[in-house]
Amino acid sequence: QVQVVETGGGLVQPGGSLRLSCATSGAIFFTPNAVGWLRQAPGKERELVADIRGGRRNYADSVKGRFTISQDNAKKTLYLDMNNLRSEDTAVYYCKFVMRGHDLWGQGIQVTVSS
């Protein structure tokens, strides 16, 4: 059974930075077809923030130039580096691994950007 645990969220002031981590464990062969980060703010639909597909990084327009998605295959960990955070970035963030037969999700972690 593969476990997915997100860490790194919290409260940050506007203009600050955070790094979200999404660590996996329990898989012998872990080769997702795609990985990504999504977020959901109160009253809004879930939004794809960034993903990696076919070795290419993709970003939502709202975060382009500020966020960076990366992964460490040896550690089987996915990261989201968030810089110059804005209040509009406040949301619950989820990591996602698109597997061949199913998807794996993190538990969700709160990011609050406020002064």
Side-chain angles (χ1 to χ4, degrees):
Q1 183 69 36
V2 176
Q3 301 294 318
V4 182
V5 179
E6 297 182 42
T7 58
L11 176 65
V12 64
Q13 295 183 353
S17 301
L18 283 175
R19 187 183 214 191
L20 304 183
S21 299
C22 185
T24 64
S25 63
I28 300 176
F29 301 102
F30 191 72
T31 56
N33 293 326
V35 297
W37 289 92
L38 303 92
R39 68 186 182 186
Q40 187 165 25
K44 298 182 179 180
E45 294 185 351
R46 191 167 54 199
E47 172 191 26
L48 179 63
V49 175
D51 65 9
I52 303 175
R53 289 176 281 113
R56 294 189 291 182
R57 300 175 181 180
N58 311 282
Y59 300 94
D61 289 340
S62 59
V63 307
K64 192 173 299 182
R66 300 188 297 118
F67 290 12
T68 302
I69 184 172
S70 62
Q71 58 183 341
D72 186 328
N73 291 327
K75 297 181 178 179
K76 296 187 291 185
T77 301
L78 182 68
Y79 302 99
L80 183 67
D81 291 294
M82 305 181 292
N83 300 306
N84 192 24
L85 284 160
R86 307 166 180 170
S87 60
E88 306 89 80
D89 297 317
T90 296
V92 176
Y93 285 71
Y94 302 86
C95 59
K96 181 181 180 181
F97 300 84
V98 180
M99 311 299 291
R100 183 178 182 181
H102 63 284
D103 298 337
L104 297 174
W105 291 80
Q107 81 278 11
I109 192 164
Q110 179 70 47
V111 172
T112 302
V113 185
S114 177
S115 59

